[in-house]
Amino acid sequence: MFSLRPKRDPSVLNADLHCHSSVSDGTLSPGEIALRAKEKGVQLWALTDHDELSGLAIAAEAARDADLPFVPGVEISVTWGPETLHIVGLRVDPDSRVLADGLEHTRSGRMRRAHEMAAQLDEVGIHDSLEGALAYAGNPDLIGRTHFARYIVEVGRCDDVKEVFTKYLIAGKPGYVPVQWATLDDALAWIAAAGGVAVIAHPGRYRLDERELRDLFVQFKERGGVGIEVVTGSHSPDQYKRFAKLAQEYGFRASRGSDFHGPLESRCELGSLPNLPDTVVPIWRDWA
Ligand code: AMP
Ligand code: MN
Ligand code: MN
Ligand code: MN
């Protein structure tokens, strides 16, 4: 028997194309993540901080020093109907003016939201949370729910960040303040202007029914979206299968990423996910 499959199957590359540094809501610096990714066996690494590009230059340098192939990325917060979506841009130009300006605009509502979150938390007896959250924010422009979650753990209201996201900071609970993020059109236009490819992050995590999810896939594809995350720290093994099938059906390339935020907080370590199913085309297949 012989196989028509190429000898070096790209789906077995240990690619980790989604993670966060202290430039957004991760706990390690971009340089520390580069070293950790290398140590954990990652062979292709993207840093994808929320709505922020300022970690990419250091990340690229640290990756070069560690002999780790690096992909500049970003994870853009998008408001789509009532839902917040995350769109990952990969191979973006870190110096793109269009992307940087768009992200700056998207970030601008965060501090105002943080004040409102703190006011709500104050009412349930969690005081000084803005100062507390800021102490965890490497970059105050990116102040977000994760930083508040760490403070809520610090003051002993919850055992861990995961628990916080069941009792606080989510719709219907104290500390939840909705934000108007970027539109899907804008996010895709910015990524395209920066020469990148757009990927829907953790599609299994959104509160969308089957019809809404398919509607999203159609809109995303029509606007030039290229891929979806299939194997991510946010998906169960059943969801790997489900989204591999959907990727095939819609002609999306598949991405793989841990969504690592730090050693003590993440469901998933850098480079530790299973390989992509061999039925999908890896997003990195044709990358040099
Ligand atoms: P923000 O962009 O400020 O609304 O915060 C969103 C971030 O909160 C995500 O990127 C995650 O890091 C974190 N987050 C949201 N939901 C959860 C959850 N259920 N468990 C842990 N972290 C979460
Ligand atoms: Mn995050
Ligand atoms: Mn996300
Ligand atoms: Mn993420």
Side-chain angles (χ1 to χ4, degrees), residues 20 25 50-51 75 77 84 86 110 113 117 142-147 161-163 165-166 170 179 181 202 205 259 261 265 267:
H20 299 272
D25 59 357
H50 297 287
D51 303 319
E75 182 176 22
S77 311
T84 296
H86 286 168
R110 281 186 177 268
R113 176 181 70 152
M117 288 167 72
L142 248 291
I143 181 82
R145 287 186 290 162
T146 312
H147 308 112
V161 163
K162 209 177 147 78
E163 187 191 347
F165 280 98
T166 64
I170 56 172
V179 188
W181 301 114
H202 40 66
R205 225 169 81 179
D259 208 356
H261 281 69
E265 269 177 31
R267 265 173 279 208

Side-chain angles (χ1 to χ4, degrees), residues 9 60 66 144 169 193 205 240 269:
D9 181 348
L169 313 183
R205 225 169 81 179
Y240 304 158
E269 180 55 76

Side-chain angles (χ1 to χ4, degrees), residues 195-209:
V197 292
V199 173
I200 300 176
H202 40 66
R205 225 169 81 179
Y206 307 123
R207 293 159 305 171
L208 301 174
D209 63 24

Side-chain angles (χ1 to χ4, degrees), residues 11-249:
S11 66
V12 303
L13 186 77
N14 191 345
D16 193 328
L17 301 180
H18 187 153
C19 72
H20 299 272
S21 77
S22 49
V23 157
S24 63
D25 59 357
T27 60
L28 303 182
S29 69
E32 287 169 329
I33 304 183
L35 291 177
R36 191 178 180 97
K38 182 73 182 182
E39 190 189 301
K40 300 291 179 188
V42 173
Q43 295 169 301
L44 179 66
W45 171 53
L47 179 67
T48 56
D49 275 309
H50 297 287
D51 303 319
E52 178 65 273
L53 304 170
S54 66
L56 295 177
I58 305 163
E61 198 184 313
R64 205 179 315 116
D65 291 347
D67 197 23
L68 171 61
F70 176 66
V71 176
V74 65
E75 182 176 22
I76 305 181
S77 311
V78 164
T79 298
W80 192 70
E83 186 63 341
T84 296
L85 306 176
H86 286 168
I87 303 295
V88 165
L90 295 173
R91 300 186 104 195
V92 293
D93 171 5
D95 298 319
S96 162
R97 205 60 256 160
V98 173
L99 179 57
D101 287 349
L103 295 177
E104 189 180 347
H105 181 73
T106 299
R107 285 195 297 267
S108 64
R110 281 186 177 268
M111 191 52 83
R112 182 192 50 76
R113 176 181 70 152
H115 281 278
E116 290 180 36
M117 288 167 72
Q120 285 190 21
L121 291 171
D122 203 54
E123 283 179 22
V124 296
I126 300 171
H127 305 300
D128 304 320
S129 63
L130 181 56
E131 296 73 13
L134 280 168
Y136 288 102
N139 173 5
D141 281 357
L142 248 291
I143 181 82
R145 287 186 290 162
T146 312
H147 308 112
F148 279 87
R150 289 181 189 137
Y151 178 70
I152 292 169
V153 173
E154 180 192 316
V155 297
R157 282 295 187 104
C158 288
D159 290 337
D160 55 30
V161 163
K162 209 177 147 78
E163 187 191 347
V164 177
F165 280 98
T166 64
K167 295 182 174 158
Y168 303 95
L169 313 183
I170 56 172
K173 307 282 182 191
Y176 179 71
V177 179
V179 188
Q180 197 63 39
W181 301 114
T183 64
L184 184 62
D185 282 8
D186 281 345
L188 289 171
W190 301 339
I191 291 168
V197 292
V199 173
I200 300 176
H202 40 66
R205 225 169 81 179
Y206 307 123
R207 293 159 305 171
L208 301 174
D209 63 24
E210 179 80 15
R211 193 187 54 77
E212 291 164 332
L213 186 75
R214 286 178 175 276
D215 200 27
L216 169 64
F217 284 178
V218 169
Q219 288 189 25
F220 179 71
K221 186 149 180 121
E222 279 172 359
R223 288 158 177 76
V226 170
I228 62 172
E229 288 184 348
V230 169
V231 173
T232 129
S234 296
H235 283 174
S236 66
D238 278 349
Q239 287 176 316
Y240 304 158
K241 286 187 208 145
R242 176 176 179 222
F243 288 102
K245 267 203 192 121
L246 285 164
Q248 260 187 317
E249 183 182 333

